Amino acid sequence: MRTISIRLDDASEARLDGLCRQLGLSQTDVVKAGLELLQHQRQSPAALAEALDLEGCFASGDHAHGREHADRIRQKLRRQHQAQR
């Protein structure tokens, strides 16, 4: 078994502590349960694009948008991840 360390901002720490109290579980059990839920959460690509505000219904006229789609998604996810820190 492996031990890991994580950094939590104050709000995340408060949420974790609240869940532990509410559920009567240890931090380890809450984190493991969260991992299990995330692993089994299935979202269609369309639902994920909508949730991340990545879908559009207009023509840009720039054909490179289609070719660079994966890069644009990675950049957007990276920005969202950094904003959550």
Side-chain angles (χ1 to χ4, degrees):
M1 189 166 296
R2 181 174 169 230
T3 300
I4 64 169
S5 298
I6 60 169
R7 293 187 185 125
L8 298 175
D9 57 41
D10 292 340
S12 296
E13 183 180 10
R15 284 195 322 231
L16 178 59
D17 290 342
L19 282 169
C20 291
R21 281 192 304 277
Q22 179 184 2
L23 300 171
L25 298 172
S26 69
Q27 290 181 341
T28 297
D29 290 336
V30 169
V31 171
K32 285 180 178 180
L35 289 171
E36 184 73 22
L37 286 172
L38 284 172
Q39 186 176 14
H40 294 292
Q41 179 181 347
R42 300 285 186 227
Q43 270 190 313
S44 71
L48 182 58
E50 183 178 352
L52 295 173
D53 195 28
L54 295 173
E55 65 180 13
C57 299
F58 59 91
S60 68
D62 183 355
H63 296 290
H65 282 158
R67 288 190 299 274
E68 299 168 358
H69 183 71
D71 291 334
R72 290 177 184 276
I73 290 175
R74 275 193 219 70
Q75 290 170 1
K76 179 144 183 143
L77 290 172
R78 193 175 299 117
R79 284 192 303 269
Q80 286 180 346
H81 180 71
Q82 289 171 348
Q84 291 175 352
R85 287 186 184 185

